[in-house]
């Protein structure tokens, strides 16, 4: 543990948050990983305010902890899945202020003050148009990647309510489905876009 | 023998229990509190057999005996029970059965789920229905023969009496089990053949905990392992000083998965028996400590550190040598000598990692006298005795719960990780969840073998196929299937098979053997048809007609008529023979896992990359139990095969797997999937056969054959590496 004054801490989190977001937005995974590796040496625990699925909560946690493990291990929200840990498969996809992000590469500190939405919070009754379309098309085989697929699809439809095939292809290309349900995923997004 | 689980709380597992944090947890009986269990026990449903429970409230629970990893067995197997039980599918609950010998083999693999349960589960439904009829007959004092059923209700139409199953279950359970019942004919099926949605579909779409990786347990610790970085390596030194001091870490130690002297093989196979284990409070903390371990590895005594390149050289040498014939018909040597044309081609395919999306993980809570285990297992019955022997707890004190699996593809039949988790839990005296990182999983061996096959065909002056020769092998297994087509259709036929030993571990991978040899053979036949100046479908149909009317040899393991049937169906559905401007088409057909599949691929080349416009499938798998899920599985088989044909490859250097995550190991992605897939099932009253695997092998051939039309290049090596092939011989830009 490193002792820091309150002011230092605040600066630190702000810098972590800012740099992480820049790295993610710029798609600079290597830079981001290096940055994270340096940070891990500090072992700082911090009180971090989060809004997850509309619920405000404070966690005392290592600020470098990826959001994925905060959700899964600390908040018992296990819908987002671990698949690769390097933002290459999309199984961990959640929404950060409405945008699809890979939670395995999102430090919890970078989410402080932002709104996180997981599959559990996508709709109150499991009736988001994308979820309904997934059920209608009987998309799933093993089902493991589907929460991530649904979150990517829901984020796409938010910005692009009537996506073209190409827009769907581009938005969904980061989500691997090992069972090969891509055609049903595509068709379900088309159906959801009509509702 | 396992004892029967007779208490209601032990049967009520996999419930989702609300947590204070707003989330849910997976709830096996032993994860829920005793209080909750006794509350459930107030309305104990009546068990009419291991598969059927009927509550007084009318709720009917059907047990899904086999573990589910995406083939839909959790839905389609209970459908078999429902068909004969005569109930309303909308009013039932499906539960995943735990491991218990009363459910038989509980093996999900070999495309065998529906095939092996076809009679037993329908019989279970018919038996319970008959007991309910008998109960009504006794209560109403009427002959059982006058009683009918419909949608979960028993009727005596003469007296106008009726009663729902729930009212009769208690009485029915006291009656003797009837035998010799007649099952419904195909024409009378109401449930079977009706598209029925995945029973877990809503839970999946809403992110409910269904997988072992989602399990929570009071006091549960997270365990991770570090295994040797390569085949033939063992731990030389471990420095865990820094890792031990890291936050949340409970312990670091090494384990042997199996005790020294244990005979390990078959489904108990393990790659790296000696493991470094890190145990701590949370996944992220343990992951970080694992990264901080300093390990040195050294070759095991006498171990060769193999490489893909050196293996390939050895395979080329073996391919030149005559080896023992697996089958010989006629005089192949003479046929090749007298041939007007001889075509010879060699095909190769690399190791493949299974890469199911849920990395290997397992839950274990081993106490002094019992073990509570849960995990993704394709074959729970095959690991139980190994666990028992390793932790010294008798099998009847080992409870194995089966969760939905995030994919399997064969990998989860090799469940060394269940033993590892049990050993770690026993040592920690705590419930633990063992979680492999993606890297641990991908570099952990048990790969699809490294294959090759050399084919030769002899054509006479009239372009008749007079000789056929396949010589194939691999590291460390051969894919040659000597008695499959075109064996039986050619007078002079020779199949030879060889293997090269290796310390790289391999295992069943979706359609073992067939997943290489099917595509290789179908690519080769395409080239032979072309050399003979024949249409590739007509060429195959001619051979199949020969095999049907005048088969060569006795051991041909296919039905030539059904084989020809799928080719004719795909020809019709794809309008084969009608030219489509700009479209390159390829065809293939294969028989494995007792099913027949023919496929046509339509593609266009865009910037030296294939865009697959459409795949047409014709499938003969007997009766189709659940059409919507069956089509999904067929689509998945095509997509998976296209992905592996284009990109799938694990290479080894100095014993070390060279790819460890999805950044380097290319998987097929959304953009690369076909734009459309049609699946046409042959209408059949024959008993169902496999479906999880048969679509996979021929697609490698159909794709290669379509690519040939689009690029004028044949693709002999998997992965196809199209861009590199097309750049061959061209000056670098």
């Amino acid at each position: 543990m490193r002792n820091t004054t309150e002011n230092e801490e605040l600066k630190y989190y702000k810098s972590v948050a800012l740099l992480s977001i820049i790295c993610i937005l710029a798609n600079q995974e290597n830079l981001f990983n290096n940055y994270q590796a340096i940070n891990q040496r500090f072992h700082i625990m911090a009180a971090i305010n989060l809004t997850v699925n509309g619920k405000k909560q404070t966690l005392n946690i290592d600020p470098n902890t990826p959001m994925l493990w905060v959700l899964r291990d600390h908040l018992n929200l296990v819908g987002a899945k671990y698949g690769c840990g390097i933002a290459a498969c999309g199984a961990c996809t959640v929404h950060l202020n409405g945008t699809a992000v890979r939670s395995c590469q999102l430090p919890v500190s970078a989410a402080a003050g932002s709104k996180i939405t997981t599959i559990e919070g996508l709709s109150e009754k499991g009736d988001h148009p994308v979820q309904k379309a997934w059920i209608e098309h009987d998309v799933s085989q093993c089902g493991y990647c589907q929460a991530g697929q649904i979150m990517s699809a829901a984020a796409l439809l938010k910005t692009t309510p009537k996506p073209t095939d190409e827009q769907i292809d581009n938005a969904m290309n980061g989500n691997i489905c090992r069972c090969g349900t891509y055609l049903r995923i595509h068709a379900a997004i088309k159906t959801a876009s009509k509702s | 023998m396992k004892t029967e689980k007779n208490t209601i709380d032990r049967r009520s597992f996999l419930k989702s229990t609300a947590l204070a944090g707003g989330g849910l947890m997976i709830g096996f009986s032993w994860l829920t509190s005793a209080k909750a269990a006794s509350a459930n026990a107030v309305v104990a449903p009546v068990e009419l057999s291991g598969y059927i429970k009927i509550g007084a409230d009318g709720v009917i629970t059907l047990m899904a005996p086999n573990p589910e990893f995406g083939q839909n067995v959790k839905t389609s197997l209970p459908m078999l029970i429902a068909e004969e039980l005569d109930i309303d599918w909308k009013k039932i609950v499906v539960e995943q059965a735990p491991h218990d010998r009363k459910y038989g083999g509980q093996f999900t693999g070999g495309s065998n789920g529906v095939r092996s349960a076809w009679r037993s589960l329908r019989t279970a439904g018919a038996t319970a229905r008959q007991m309910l009829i008998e109960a009504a007959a006794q209560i109403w004092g009427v002959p059982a023969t006058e009683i009918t059923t419909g949608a979960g209700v028993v009727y005596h139409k003469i007296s106008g009496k009726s009663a729902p199953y729930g009212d009769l279950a208690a009485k029915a359970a006291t009656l003797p089990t009837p035998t010799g019942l007649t099952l419904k004919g195909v024409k009378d099926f109401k449930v079977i053949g009706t598209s029925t949605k995945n029973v877990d579909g809503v839970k999946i779409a809403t992110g409910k905990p269904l997988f072992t990786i989602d399990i929570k347990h009071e006091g549960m610790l997270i365990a991770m392992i570090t295994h040797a970085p390569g085949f033939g390596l063992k731990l030389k030194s471990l420095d865990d000083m820094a890792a031990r001091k890291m936050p949340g870490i409970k312990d670091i130690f090494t384990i042997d998965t199996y005790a020294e002297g244990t005979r390990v093989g078959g489904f108990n196979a393990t790659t790296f028996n000696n493991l470094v284990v890190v145990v701590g409070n949370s996944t992220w903390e343990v992951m970080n400590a694992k990264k901080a371990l300093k390990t040195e590895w050294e070759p095991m005594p006498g171990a060769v550190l193999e490489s893909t390149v050196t293996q390939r050289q050895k395979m080329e040498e073996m391919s030149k040598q005559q080896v023992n014939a697996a089958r010989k018909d006629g005089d192949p040597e003479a046929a090749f000598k007298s041939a007007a044309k001889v075509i010879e081609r060699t095909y190769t395919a690399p190791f493949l990692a299974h890469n199911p999306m849920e990395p290997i993980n397992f839950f274990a809570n081993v106490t002094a006298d019992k073990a509570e285990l849960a995990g993704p297992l394709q074959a729970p019955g095959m690991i139980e005795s190994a666990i028992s022997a390793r932790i010294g707890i008798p099998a009847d004190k080992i409870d194995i719960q089966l969760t939905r699996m995030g994919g399997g593809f064969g990998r989860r039949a090799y469940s060394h990780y269940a033993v590892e988790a049990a050993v770690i839990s026993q040592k920690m005296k705590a419930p633990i969840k063992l979680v492999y990182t993606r890297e641990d999983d991908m570099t952990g061996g048990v790969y699809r073998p490294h294959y090759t096959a050399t084919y030769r065909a002899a054509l006479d002056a009239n372009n008749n196929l007079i000789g056929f020769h396949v010589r194939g092998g691999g590291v460390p297994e051969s894919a040659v299937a000597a008695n499959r087509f075109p064996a039986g259709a050619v007078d002079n036929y020779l199949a030879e098979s060889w293997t090269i030993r290796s310390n790289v571990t391999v295992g069943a991978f979706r359609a073992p053997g067939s997943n290489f040899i099917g595509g290789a053979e179908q690519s080769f036949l395409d080239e032979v048809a072309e050399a003979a100046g024949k249409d590739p479908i007509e060429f195959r149909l001619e051979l199949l007609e020969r095999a049907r009317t005048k088969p060569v040899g006795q051991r041909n393991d296919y039905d030539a008529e059904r084989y020809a049937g799928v080719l004719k169906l795909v020809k019709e559905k794809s309008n084969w023979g009608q030219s489509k401007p700009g479209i390159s088409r390829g065809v293939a057909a294969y028989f494995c896992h007792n099913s027949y599949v023919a496929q046509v691929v339509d593609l266009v080349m865009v910037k030296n990359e294939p865009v697959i416009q459409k795949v047409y499938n014709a499938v003969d798998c007997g009766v189709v139990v659940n059409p919507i899920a069956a089509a999904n599985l067929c689509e998945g088989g095509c997509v998976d095969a296209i992905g592996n044909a284009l990109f799938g490859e694990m290479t080894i250097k100095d014993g070390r797997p060279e790819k460890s995550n999805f950044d380097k190991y290319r998987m097929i992605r959304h953009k690369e999937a076909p734009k459309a897939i049609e699946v046409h099932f042959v209408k059949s009253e024959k008993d169902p056969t496999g479906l999880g695997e048969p679509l996979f092998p021929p697609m490698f051939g159909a794709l290669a054959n379509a690519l040939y039309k689009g690029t004028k290049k044949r693709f002999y090596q998997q992965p196809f590496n199209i861009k590199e092939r097309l750049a061959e011989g061209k000056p670098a830009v």
Side-chain angles (χ1 to χ4, degrees):
Chain A
M1 298 277 161
R2 197 181 69 152
N3 289 321
T4 50
T5 66
E6 201 173 304
N7 209 16
E8 264 180 345
E9 246 183 54
L10 196 66
K11 273 188 205 161
Y12 176 80
Y13 299 135
K14 278 185 176 168
S15 70
V16 166
L18 193 66
L19 272 169
S20 301
I21 289 172
I22 290 168
C23 293
I24 289 167
L25 292 179
N27 212 8
Q28 290 291 319
E29 274 162 31
N30 288 339
L31 181 65
F32 175 72
N33 285 340
N34 290 338
Y35 180 63
Q36 223 184 13
I38 295 164
N39 271 323
Q40 271 157 24
R41 295 172 56 193
F42 289 95
H43 299 316
I44 295 167
M45 297 292 272
I48 291 188
N49 295 317
L50 288 174
T51 305
V52 180
N53 297 334
K55 197 178 155 192
K56 285 185 178 173
Q57 39 203 325
T58 305
L59 283 178
N60 190 33
I61 195 164
D62 172 353
N64 292 308
T65 310
M67 197 63 213
L68 173 66
W69 300 113
V70 173
L71 294 170
R72 293 186 57 83
D73 283 359
H74 300 273
L75 301 178
N76 290 311
L77 294 167
V78 295
K81 293 292 190 273
Y82 168 61
C84 70
I86 60 166
C89 80
C92 66
T93 305
V94 300
H95 294 175
L96 177 70
N97 294 331
T99 304
V101 294
R102 312 302 179 210
S103 65
C104 73
Q105 289 288 299
L106 177 72
V108 63
S109 54
S114 301
K115 280 181 189 162
I116 292 283
T117 307
T118 71
I119 185 81
E120 291 92 340
L122 186 61
S123 62
E124 230 170 84
K125 292 174 180 168
D127 56 358
H128 185 282
V130 173
Q131 290 171 312
K132 279 161 72 179
W134 241 251
I135 294 158
E136 185 190 325
H137 285 267
D138 211 29
V139 169
S140 306
Q141 286 186 35
C142 86
Y144 193 79
C145 75
Q146 299 296 353
Q149 304 275 5
I150 288 170
M151 295 309 282
S152 288
L156 166 69
L157 293 182
K158 210 169 191 177
T159 55
T160 316
K162 304 281 175 203
T164 62
D165 287 326
E166 200 183 350
Q167 285 171 322
I168 295 173
D169 282 352
N170 288 333
M172 301 306 293
N173 218 43
N175 290 75
I176 297 174
C177 172
R178 176 71 182 84
C179 299
T181 63
Y182 295 124
L183 280 83
R184 286 182 189 233
I185 288 169
H186 202 96
I189 294 171
K190 286 265 174 184
T191 297
S193 75
K194 284 172 194 145
S195 67
Chain B
M1 281 291 287
K2 270 192 85 79
T3 52
E4 288 227 337
K5 297 172 168 72
N6 284 325
T7 51
I8 176 65
D9 57 321
R10 305 259 297 167
R11 282 193 243 111
S12 61
F13 51 87
L14 252 184
K15 287 172 305 198
S16 290
T17 310
L19 284 184
L24 291 154
M25 62 183 278
I26 219 165
F28 298 122
S29 59
W30 32 260
L31 294 180
T32 54
S33 69
K35 201 176 168 186
S38 61
N40 286 340
V42 174
V43 278
V46 175
E47 192 169 305
L48 284 187
S49 77
Y51 297 102
I52 301 158
K53 289 179 284 182
I54 302 182
D57 54 0
V59 175
I60 297 175
T61 304
L62 302 181
M63 303 304 283
N66 285 18
E68 170 73 83
F69 63 91
Q71 321 83 316
N72 199 250
V73 286
K74 191 171 173 185
T75 307
S76 50
L77 296 188
M79 283 171 73
L80 304 180
I81 306 171
E83 179 66 65
E84 289 287 345
L85 186 56
D86 199 3
I87 49 180
D88 182 355
W89 181 261
K90 290 183 197 76
K91 292 182 185 165
I92 58 131
V93 173
V94 172
E95 276 185 19
Q96 175 66 59
H99 172 54
D100 193 320
R101 285 184 200 280
K102 74 180 172 186
Y103 295 112
Q106 294 187 295
F107 175 60
T108 300
S111 295
N112 205 35
V114 168
R115 246 196 297 172
S116 63
W118 178 240
R119 294 209 172 273
S120 63
L121 291 191
R122 288 184 303 143
T123 302
T127 304
R129 176 177 168 272
Q130 192 57 39
M131 288 161 82
L132 291 159
I133 288 173
E134 195 58 46
Q138 291 187 15
I139 292 166
W140 297 336
V142 301
T145 48
E146 289 175 11
I147 290 178
T148 58
T149 59
V153 180
V154 177
Y155 298 96
H156 184 245
K157 296 230 166 101
I158 298 163
S159 65
K161 282 181 176 149
S162 70
Y165 285 0
D167 293 358
L168 299 164
K171 170 79 176 168
T174 65
L175 300 175
T177 307
T179 54
L181 298 172
T182 307
L183 300 176
K184 281 185 189 174
V186 173
K187 285 180 183 67
D188 299 321
F189 287 159
K190 288 180 193 156
V191 181
I192 295 169
T194 304
S195 281
T196 305
K197 288 189 178 148
N198 184 342
V199 292
D200 282 340
V202 174
K203 286 180 181 168
I204 290 166
T206 51
K208 298 288 185 295
L210 286 166
F211 303 90
T212 298
I213 206 163
D214 301 336
I215 287 180
K216 305 273 171 186
H217 190 290
E218 203 181 331
M220 183 181 82
L221 299 171
I222 300 294
M224 300 190 101
I225 55 102
T226 291
H227 62 63
F231 304 94
L233 295 174
K234 67 178 177 65
L235 189 64
K236 184 184 175 193
S237 73
L238 168 68
D239 173 2
D240 60 7
M241 282 277 286
R244 279 185 179 279
K245 288 180 194 151
M246 290 175 72
I249 299 308
K250 293 279 184 186
D251 204 354
I252 298 174
F253 49 88
T254 62
I255 62 160
D256 288 331
T257 306
Y258 294 102
E260 210 184 319
T262 307
R263 282 185 63 189
V264 178
F267 287 112
N268 290 356
T270 188
T271 307
F272 304 110
N273 200 52
N274 189 239
L275 304 169
V276 183
V277 180
V278 183
V279 185
N281 291 328
S282 73
T283 316
W284 178 243
E285 288 169 325
V286 177
M287 265 183 185
N288 282 331
K290 179 170 138 57
K291 281 182 206 156
L293 292 174
K294 292 185 183 116
T295 50
E296 285 184 293
W297 308 88
E298 61 185 357
M300 292 174 190
V304 177
L305 302 185
E306 297 178 25
S307 294
T308 302
V309 176
T310 50
Q311 283 179 351
R312 197 61 66 83
Q313 286 163 356
K314 276 193 200 170
M315 290 163 81
E316 280 170 18
E317 281 163 31
M318 281 301 290
S319 296
K320 289 174 195 151
Q321 293 168 29
Q322 191 176 336
V323 290
N324 285 340
R327 170 166 169 163
K328 187 177 179 182
D329 297 324
D331 189 347
E333 205 174 323
F336 279 94
K337 265 186 192 156
S338 70
K341 250 184 244 172
V342 172
I343 304 134
E344 178 177 328
R345 299 288 183 261
T346 296
Y347 300 81
T348 58
F351 289 117
L352 294 175
H354 294 78
N355 297 340
M357 289 312 293
E358 181 188 17
I360 285 171
N361 68 96
F362 205 83
F363 174 85
N365 185 16
V366 178
T367 51
D369 57 352
K370 68 179 179 11
E372 293 167 338
L373 311 176
L377 298 169
Q378 282 181 241
M382 294 178 191
I383 198 68
E384 189 185 54
S385 62
I387 298 169
S388 171
R390 184 65 180 89
I391 61 175
I393 288 175
D396 64 357
K397 299 288 181 198
I398 297 176
D399 187 27
I400 305 177
Q401 298 288 344
L402 305 173
T403 55
R404 193 173 187 88
M405 290 177 257
F409 311 98
R411 180 63 184 89
R412 299 193 210 278
Y414 306 88
S415 37
H416 52 88
Y417 46 87
V419 183
E420 293 160 18
V423 170
I424 296 166
S425 172
Q426 190 172 46
K427 182 165 169 67
M428 293 304 296
K429 297 187 171 62
I432 64 106
K433 184 163 68 187
L434 170 66
V435 182
Y436 276 41
T437 61
R438 172 57 61 193
E439 290 82 1
D440 297 329
D441 183 306
M442 199 181 285
T443 60
V446 195
Y447 300 136
R448 194 280 297 269
H450 188 179
Y451 291 127
T452 188
T454 299
Y455 285 92
R456 289 198 303 150
L459 295 172
D460 68 11
N462 296 319
N463 285 321
N464 294 310
L465 181 62
I466 55 167
F468 194 90
H469 175 206
V470 54
R471 180 187 290 158
V475 181
E477 288 176 5
S478 167
V480 170
N483 296 315
R484 288 199 187 148
F485 183 77
V490 190
D491 287 321
N492 307 296
Y493 174 92
L494 176 63
E496 297 172 86
S497 189
W498 51 265
T499 57
I500 295 171
R501 289 179 66 127
S502 172
N503 59 14
V504 178
T505 53
V506 297
F509 184 109
R510 195 173 205 166
S514 306
N515 61 34
F516 163 65
I517 210 77
E521 169 208 296
Q522 288 297 310
S523 297
F524 184 65
L525 286 179
D526 201 67
E527 213 164 334
V528 177
E530 188 187 35
K534 291 176 184 172
D535 172 83
I537 292 183
E538 295 311 319
F539 175 68
R540 286 171 174 84
L541 288 175
E542 274 173 30
L543 290 173
L544 286 163
E545 184 60 13
R546 166 72 204 274
R548 189 181 71 83
T549 53
K550 240 175 68 187
V552 182
Q554 304 295 316
R555 293 178 294 156
N556 307 321
D557 69 356
Y558 58 93
D559 177 331
E561 199 169 344
R562 291 179 78 182
Y563 213 137
V566 289
L567 270 164
K568 287 173 188 164
L569 183 61
V570 88
K571 184 182 167 185
E572 176 206 323
K573 296 294 180 186
S574 69
N575 289 315
W576 183 262
Q578 291 183 12
S579 78
K580 290 187 183 178
I583 297 278
S584 303
R585 316 194 91 180
V587 65
Y590 203 62
F591 164 76
C592 68
H593 300 87
N594 291 30
S595 293
Y596 300 81
V597 175
Q599 296 166 325
V600 167
V601 169
D602 283 3
L603 61 81
V604 289
M605 294 302 294
V606 180
K607 292 179 188 163
N608 284 347
E609 283 187 57
V611 175
I612 299 166
Q613 299 288 359
K614 197 156 193 173
V615 175
Y616 300 86
N617 295 284
V619 182
D620 184 352
C621 60
V623 170
V624 176
V625 174
N626 188 3
I628 191 173
N632 197 347
L633 199 53
C634 291
E635 292 158 19
C638 295
V639 173
D640 189 9
I642 292 165
N644 277 295
L646 296 178
F647 314 119
E649 183 179 39
M650 175 58 87
T651 54
I652 314 278
K653 195 174 182 202
D654 301 328
R656 290 166 165 80
E658 292 189 289
K659 296 174 186 178
S660 63
N661 209 324
F662 297 129
D663 51 346
K664 295 206 173 66
Y665 199 112
R666 277 279 274 119
M667 309 290 287
I668 190 167
R669 289 177 181 271
H670 197 106
K671 274 184 198 176
E672 293 137 355
K675 303 302 168 203
I677 299 179
E678 285 185 14
V679 181
H680 302 279
F681 293 106
V682 171
K683 282 197 176 61
S684 172
E685 296 200 358
K686 291 196 162 66
D687 287 358
T689 51
L691 205 54
E693 288 157 296
L695 277 283
F696 190 71
M699 182 50 62
F700 290 80
L703 178 60
N705 299 340
L707 283 170
Y708 169 65
K709 294 287 180 188
T711 66
K712 304 299 163 215
K713 293 252 183 195
R714 292 282 179 184
F715 291 85
Y716 302 108
Q717 289 195 10
Q718 291 172 26
F720 293 161
N721 288 330
I722 295 166
K723 280 197 164 176
E724 288 84 339
R725 276 300 306 283
L726 296 182
E728 276 171 18
K730 288 184 186 169
V733 185

